[in-house]
Amino acid sequence: MAAIDKMQQELPDKTLALAFRPLDLNSLESTKKFASEFLAENDKLHFLVLNAGIAIVPKGVTKDGYERQFQINYLGHFLLSLSLLPALLGTPSARVVFLSSEGHKLGKLDLSNIQGQRQYKPFNFYCHSKLYQILATMKLSRQLPDSELSISCVHPGQVTTDLQRDFTGFWKGYTAMAKAVGAMRDPAQGAATSLFACLSPALQGQKGIYLDSCKVKQSAANARNEESQDKLWNYSLSLLRAYLSDEVTSIAKIDWAVVEAQSRKQDQPRSKEDDGADNVKKGDEDGATGKSGDEMREGTAVGSTEGVEDSGAVQTGSVAESLEAVPEPCPVAGDGEKKTHTEGEPLSNEAEPEQKGEHSG
């Protein structure tokens, strides 16, 4: 509520059509309830920005028994995006935006350790969750090729939000240093690429794209691997069957036979070779942990709320009503310079050199 009040104070001459709805991503039931209540009152949804999250937290489980970064950063958003498809597909020019991170390049998909069954490293599992968001973006795009729905994933950059409020050890020092040298973006800059994804005419109808600093970039090869996309899709659906309606099953073209077949295969005993496999990257800081926190980005369509742990609130509005909120050109600070993209410029889809050290705020 505080964020809505602040926005209204900043625009005293306008009446903002904003509403607050609690959404606890720590609970699949809460996520489903949110979607059901929204659909009961709305048959249209112009944009959905999935940006609530936590980072580098100690190992723990959600109310549903899943690893926290897996569910809060990815699975809850996946359920929400699927559940709201009826409204999204019923709205011309609607858009879905997942917030990922350059950290996805360090992520891996290992279903045998996806819940930390064998080992857990906070930073690695954060990166894994950000990879999952891109895999979901790509797979959902493949499932809905003929729809008008735009589906993208963005890297907001290192943003000064409350996400880092409980960092300790290495990550507390790293964040302090990044702030000191001006390597972090303020919330407005952090929201710029999300707004660009929602409102740029150049992106209308585009699917499966990854954006950084208001430009189309190429995600890591493992994020573009269709076999990995399919595996995560089926695994995730196996956890969500009780929460998905027949309508969503039909819209998203879910094949429960395929989902069940993968689940049976996954339940088979592991071989000695599998038991010795370790797909988790080394070199992270074991002491770099923090408590769960909310990622808050003002000006986006979906954000977390102050004072509600691991939760999000949806703010909806028509694209036309929000056009004036788009920075023109798009102001994004990074690597010591201002990077801009002016509406009307062609978007490049060429691979760019990898950014170092940037993870979503």
Side-chain angles (χ1 to χ4, degrees):
M1 295 296 289
I4 294 178
D5 291 341
K6 183 178 179 181
M7 284 185 278
Q8 185 63 73
Q9 290 172 6
E10 292 175 352
L11 298 168
D13 298 332
K14 297 185 178 181
T15 301
L16 301 180
L18 301 174
F20 169 82
R21 292 177 183 272
L23 192 167
D24 183 2
L25 291 169
N26 189 58
S27 163
L28 295 176
E29 188 60 43
S30 172
T31 306
K32 177 59 179 177
K33 179 182 179 182
F34 170 89
S36 297
E37 291 179 350
F38 180 87
L39 291 174
E41 299 177 8
N42 304 273
D43 58 2
K44 298 219 178 334
L45 178 57
H46 293 86
F47 45 74
L48 174 66
V49 182
L50 303 154
N51 77 317
I54 58 175
I56 320 177
V57 297
K59 187 175 182 180
V61 297
T62 64
K63 294 177 180 178
D64 302 287
Y66 303 122
E67 191 276 312
R68 288 194 293 167
Q69 295 189 95
F70 168 80
Q71 179 169 332
I72 294 168
N73 292 353
Y74 162 67
L75 188 66
H77 288 147
F78 181 65
L79 172 59
L80 185 60
S81 62
L82 291 180
S83 299
L84 293 175
L85 280 177
L88 287 162
L89 294 180
T91 308
S93 305
R95 304 190 185 195
V96 176
V97 182
F98 290 83
L99 262 74
S100 182
S101 164
E102 282 289 270
H104 84 272
K105 294 177 179 178
L106 301 177
K108 288 185 177 293
L109 176 64
D110 177 5
L111 295 183
S112 67
N113 194 49
I114 196 167
Q115 302 299 334
Q117 301 96 309
R118 299 198 311 278
Q119 60 176 289
Y120 176 85
K121 302 291 179 108
F123 175 66
N124 287 339
F125 271 68
Y126 170 74
C127 294
H128 298 339
S129 72
K130 294 303 174 178
L131 170 64
Y132 304 155
Q133 289 173 311
I134 302 181
L135 291 172
T137 299
M138 301 297 185
K139 177 60 176 179
L140 187 60
S141 298
R142 291 168 51 208
Q143 292 296 108
L144 303 170
D146 300 322
S147 73
E148 295 182 13
L149 185 65
S150 301
I151 307 172
S152 61
C153 198
V154 309
H155 166 54
Q158 297 180 107
V159 187
T160 53
T161 69
D162 276 0
L163 189 72
Q164 306 100 12
R165 64 188 173 199
D166 293 315
F167 279 5
T168 62
F170 171 83
W171 290 107
K172 183 176 182 179
Y174 172 84
T175 302
M177 181 180 66
K179 289 180 179 179
V181 300
M184 298 190 73
R185 299 171 179 175
D186 62 35
Q189 292 170 325
T193 304
S194 296
L195 286 170
F196 181 75
C198 284
L199 306 173
S200 171
L203 300 181
Q204 180 54 49
Q206 294 202 38
K207 296 178 175 61
I209 57 175
Y210 176 69
L211 295 163
D212 178 3
S213 301
C214 299
K215 294 181 180 179
V216 176
K217 301 289 184 72
Q218 184 164 278
S219 58
N222 56 348
R224 291 177 277 116
N225 184 285
E226 292 190 359
E227 182 179 357
S228 294
Q229 294 165 18
D230 293 344
K231 284 183 177 180
L232 181 64
W233 172 267
N234 291 323
Y235 173 75
S236 303
L237 290 175
S238 72
L239 308 179
L240 298 177
R241 186 163 190 171
Y243 300 95
L244 297 174
S245 66
D246 291 341
E247 181 182 14
V248 168
T249 295
S250 176
I251 291 173
K253 304 173 186 175
I254 297 172
D255 189 333
W256 291 115
V258 174
V259 172
E260 291 169 0
Q262 177 176 302
S263 182
R264 287 194 299 270
K265 183 178 180 180
Q266 189 177 329
D267 289 340
Q268 293 177 353
R270 288 166 54 82
S271 67
K272 291 183 179 180
E273 182 178 358
D274 289 333
D275 288 335
D278 182 4
N279 288 323
V280 181
K281 279 185 174 289
K282 297 180 180 180
D284 71 316
E285 300 291 333
D286 291 339
T289 61
K291 300 176 183 178
S292 61
D294 302 323
E295 182 169 6
M296 295 178 288
R297 293 190 181 85
E298 295 178 10
T300 54
V302 174
S304 56
T305 66
E306 289 186 276
V308 183
E309 185 172 359
D310 304 334
S311 65
V314 166
Q315 303 158 15
T316 62
S318 73
V319 172
E321 291 171 344
S322 305
L323 277 173
E324 61 189 30
V326 183
E328 180 72 28
C330 181
V332 180
D335 300 330
E337 63 178 353
K338 289 284 184 178
K339 300 179 180 179
T340 65
H341 180 282
T342 303
E343 273 310 324
E345 288 182 357
L347 290 168
S348 170
N349 200 19
E350 297 178 358
E352 302 251 347
E354 292 189 8
Q355 304 285 329
K356 295 183 179 180
E358 289 196 353
H359 308 296
S360 65

